[in-house]
Every structure is written in structure tokens, then in C-alpha cells.
């Protein structure tokens, strides 16, 4: 928590941002999702060489996230052109945001930027009031799956922060 | 930087009578596979799992659960539903094997021929797949997998602990032997 370079801790207000979400320059950011839980999935790069890439998996799991009314945003330093091709290839429909210029600025503000110049593999779950509820950093090469996210959303539901629609 | 978490995911949905099981019911080691019939890595693991069951007969049993990543594999969901349609007829493993042995023929036309080859009624099974009669079962497996930390396919759990090693036969034999010894 006190480490200035560490991943943002629970209880802290989530830094606001807007990032390009589509090649036509449309931007999206946290403010648009206020009142709903938001899952930020920072990841190193598009095009990881496995079946069941993390972002493709989240697309398949979207009905589960939506049952908590949660929005999922993928964030990497790839450009939106790369994101668009990647999303088309993997059938991803949720926003992949380009933390491209200034490079990694949003990842840095969450403490999720690596010395190698990529976003870390990190998950941040933000409550409907914009406060960090849960976060976890993972090894770069490990696909973290979705169980940690769903557990965090379930705890929110149990504590009454999220009404299941 | 905060220390990354090396997660040891555990199976949260216990094996039950509703599962498709191959091998001795009283085997001390249970391997649960979450698989996608259109995934090439699952296809590569398939003969190794078969050989594992042969070499460790009596020691290990295999449970298969559906984990179609449909946005990447357009035929994965219908293949899973067809396997379940065969399953309700007591023919799950025959269909499972056919699907992994014909991964390039999962389109509706070839799938229907496969069902016929196996001596099952292609029109009935086709209709069940068409109206998603078995979609709930497939989804239940998928959601249980997501909750258990399945992060791609194939994902194996060996006695409830996620196997993060490889899928080559020596890796699988070593994992099963280690579990049998504990």
C-alpha cells in the first residue's frame, strides 16, 4: 500500500481516465460506468499465443460478469488498430482500451506498469462508487482466469453494494 | 512492485453422478478436463489422456466437462451440445472421441455424418442441437469451470488441484503418479 510503485490498494479511489476505445477516436472511461462495478483487466499485449487468451475468455464469461451488472474493460499499451484486429480475430465485443499516448499513463496511475514498457497483468475491481474493492497482480505469463473477479463481485453483492439485476 | 500471486486454483464443483466419467469409479486419482472440441491444444492432449488411462488403468479416471470458447471457436458450442445429446443416450465417450478425431469436420454437415457413423439418429440429435436442448448443461459446466479458475483449454484438475504443467504423456503420468502417492 505504501509502496509508490505498487498496484493500487483496496479502499483507494480509482483514478479516473478516458482512453481511445475505437479507431474513430471515441473514448471511454470510468465515469461512464459510475453506478456499476467495473473490472479493469490490464494485460501485457494483444496476440498472446495460447488458446483461450485472457480477453477471449472474458468475452465467453461475459454473461457471468453481466449478472453482476459489471462492465469489463481491457487495457494494454497496444494501439487501437492492434486492438481492433485482435478483437475481431478473437470475437471480443467489450472495450479494449489503448493506453498508447502518453504510453502507459493509465497503467502507471494504477501501479500496473512494468519496466519492460508494458502493462502488468493485473486485475482491478472497482465498486459502483468508484472505489477499488479488490485487486491482484499476476505473473506476466499466467492467464489469471476469472474466478478472482467473480469472487470480488460476489462479495460486493453479498454486502449489498451491487443489486443483481 | 507488489509480489505477483502464483495462484493454485482448486476445483470447486465436485465430481458427481451427472459427470461423464471414464475409467474405474474407485480410482484413487481423478483427472477433470475442461475442454473445447475445437481447440487444437485439447486435440493434442486427447491421445495422451487416452494413453494415460490405458497405462494407469485402475489408478486414474477421467472426467470431461464442457468449456467451449465460442467467440474463438464457432463450432465449439454445437459440438459440445451434440456430445451431450449423445450423452443422454449413453454414448458420450464415443461422440467425444469422434469429435477429437475429426476436429476439422465439426461443421453441421460433417457432424451429422459423424453422428450417423456412430449409429445415432442424426436428425434427432441435429434438432436437439438446433433448439439448444442441452445448452444449459454445457453452460453449467462452463460456469463451474470459470469459478474454479479455468483459464483456457485444456485445463486439467488432478485430484481437485489445477494442473499447471504440460499435456505431454510424461507430464501427465508424473502428475497422476504424484497424486496417487499422496
Amino acid at each position: 500500500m505504501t509502496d509508490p510503485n505498487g498496484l493500487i490498494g483496496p479502499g483507494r479511489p480509482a483514478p479516473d481516465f478516458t482512453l481511445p476505445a475505437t479507431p474513430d477516436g471515441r473514448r471511454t472511461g470510468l465515469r461512464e460506468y459510475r453506478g456499476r462495478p467495473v473490472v479493469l483487466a490490464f494485460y501485457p499485449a494483444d496476440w498472446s499465443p495460447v488458446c483461450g487468451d485472457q480477453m477471449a475468455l472474458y468475452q465467453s464469461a461475459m454473461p457471468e460478469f453481466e449478472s453482476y451488472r459489471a462492465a469489463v474493460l481491457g487495457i494494454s499499451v497496444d494501439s487501437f488498430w492492434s486492438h481492433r484486429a485482435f478483437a475481431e480475430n478473437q470475437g471480443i465485443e467489450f472495450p479494449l482500451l489503448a493506453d498508447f499516448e502518453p504510453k502507459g499513463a493509465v497503467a502507471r496511475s494504477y501501479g500496473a506498469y512494468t519496466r519492460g514498457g508494458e502493462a502488468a497483468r493485473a486485475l482491478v475491481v472497482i465498486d459502483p462508487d468508484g472505489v477499488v474493492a479488490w485487486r491482484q497482480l499476476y505473473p506476466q505469463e499466467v492467464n489469471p482466469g476469472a474466478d478472482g473477479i467473480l469472487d470480488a463481485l460476489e462479495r460486493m453483492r453479498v454486502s449489498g453494494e451491487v443489486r443483481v439485476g | 512492485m507488489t509480489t505477483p500471486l502464483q495462484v493454485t486454483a482448486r476445483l470447486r464443483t465436485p465430481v458427481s453422478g451427472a459427470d461423464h466419467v471414464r475409467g474405474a469409479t474407485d480410482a484413487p486419482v481423478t483427472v477433470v478436463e475442461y475442454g473445447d472440441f475445437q481447440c487444437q491444444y485439447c486435440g493434442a492432449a486427447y491421445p495422451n489422456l487416452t494413453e494415460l488411462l490405458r497405462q494407469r488403468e485402475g489408478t486414474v479416471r477421467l472426467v470431461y466437462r464442457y468449456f467451449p470458447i465460442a467467440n474463438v471457436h464457432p463450432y465449439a458450442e454445437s459440438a459440445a451440445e451434440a456430445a451431450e445429446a449423445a450423452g443422454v443416450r449413453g454414448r458420450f465417450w464415443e461422440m467425444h472421441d469422434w469429435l477429437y478425431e475429426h476436429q476439422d469436420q465439426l461443421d453441421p454437415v460433417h457432424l451429422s455424418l459423424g453422428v450417423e457413423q456412430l449409429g445415432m439418429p442424426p436428425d434427432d440429435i441435429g434438432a436437439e442441437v438446433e433448439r439448444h436442448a442441452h445448452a444449459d448443461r454445457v453452460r453449467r459446466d462452463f460456469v463451474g469451470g470459470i469459478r474454479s479458475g479455468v483459464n483456457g483449454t485444456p485445463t486439467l484438475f488432478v485430484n481437485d488441484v489445477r494442473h499447471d504443467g504440460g499435456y505431454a504423456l510424461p507430464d501427465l503420468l508424473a502428475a497422476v503418479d504424484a497424486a496417487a502417492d499422496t
Side-chain angles (χ1 to χ4, degrees):
Chain A
M1 277 281 266
T2 50
D3 181 353
N5 297 315
L7 184 61
I8 190 167
R12 305 249 314 269
D16 196 20
F17 61 84
T18 66
L19 283 174
T22 59
D24 64 17
R26 193 176 69 79
R27 301 170 72 89
T28 193
L30 268 194
R31 217 174 276 278
E32 282 181 43
Y33 300 98
R34 192 54 66 88
R36 297 169 62 185
V38 179
V39 178
L40 301 183
F42 292 96
Y43 65 103
D46 293 337
W47 308 109
S48 64
V50 294
C51 238
D53 168 90
Q54 185 186 358
M55 296 303 122
L57 180 74
Y58 292 173
Q59 181 64 47
S60 282
M62 199 51 70
E64 272 45 70
F65 298 133
E66 283 171 352
S67 72
Y68 296 97
R69 299 186 62 245
V72 179
L73 306 174
I75 304 177
S76 80
V77 299
D78 295 291
S79 74
F80 48 60
W81 297 106
S82 173
H83 277 332
R84 185 167 77 165
F86 178 59
E88 278 176 10
N89 181 269
Q90 299 280 303
I92 294 166
E93 292 168 9
F94 63 88
L96 299 179
L97 306 182
D99 197 8
F100 183 73
E101 178 59 39
K103 189 181 168 209
V106 173
R108 283 174 215 265
S109 73
Y110 280 80
Y113 194 69
T114 69
R115 281 193 204 129
E118 295 174 330
R121 211 180 276 284
L123 297 172
V124 180
V125 175
I126 299 167
D127 75 16
D129 300 321
V131 175
V132 175
W134 176 82
R135 54 77 171 116
Q136 187 63 56
L137 183 68
Y138 296 87
Q140 291 292 86
E141 71 283 6
V142 172
N143 177 344
D147 50 321
I149 297 170
L150 292 168
D151 287 347
L153 293 171
E154 179 61 22
R155 284 193 296 273
M156 254 183 228
R157 188 189 67 80
V158 168
S159 69
E161 287 175 79
V162 175
R163 279 194 311 276
V164 177
Chain B
M1 198 122 189
T2 326
T3 314
L5 177 76
Q6 192 73 53
V7 207
T8 314
R10 294 187 70 89
L11 188 70
R12 294 199 206 168
T13 315
V15 175
S16 78
D19 277 304
H20 301 297
V21 187
R22 183 180 244 178
T25 45
D26 60 346
V29 181
T30 299
V31 173
V32 175
E33 175 185 12
Y34 282 89
D36 171 323
F37 289 113
Q38 209 183 343
C39 158
Q40 55 176 315
Y41 301 98
C42 300
Y46 160 69
N48 301 336
L49 287 162
T50 305
E51 184 60 15
L52 173 76
L53 286 176
R54 198 186 67 79
Q55 290 194 20
R56 293 293 184 271
E57 193 181 347
T59 303
V60 64
R61 60 177 183 156
L62 176 66
V63 172
Y64 189 89
R65 289 178 176 168
Y66 308 111
F67 202 82
I69 301 181
N71 40 300
V72 185
H73 300 139
Y75 297 128
E77 174 68 26
S78 53
E81 292 183 28
E84 188 54 27
V88 300
R89 293 165 170 82
R91 312 280 297 274
F92 170 79
W93 289 103
E94 288 164 75
M95 193 75 229
H96 163 278
D97 292 355
W98 188 93
L99 291 165
Y100 279 127
E101 286 161 16
H102 300 81
Q103 281 194 296
D104 56 347
Q105 299 176 33
L106 302 183
D107 60 282
V109 173
H110 284 95
L111 185 62
S112 170
L113 289 172
V115 167
E116 199 169 0
Q117 247 177 46
L118 294 174
M120 288 185 280
D123 293 347
D124 294 356
I125 289 187
E128 286 171 31
V129 171
E130 187 74 17
R131 65 168 198 271
H132 298 296
H134 306 292
D136 285 354
R137 163 57 190 267
V138 172
R139 193 70 202 170
R140 207 156 56 235
D141 276 6
F142 181 90
V143 172
I146 282 282
R147 291 280 184 180
S148 296
V150 171
N151 58 2
T153 53
T155 289
L156 304 182
F157 292 83
V158 179
N159 280 356
D160 295 350
V161 179
R162 193 175 69 196
H163 170 72
D164 289 332
Y167 305 108
L169 183 59
D171 299 320
L172 298 175
L173 287 168
V176 165
D177 290 345
D181 286 343
T182 52

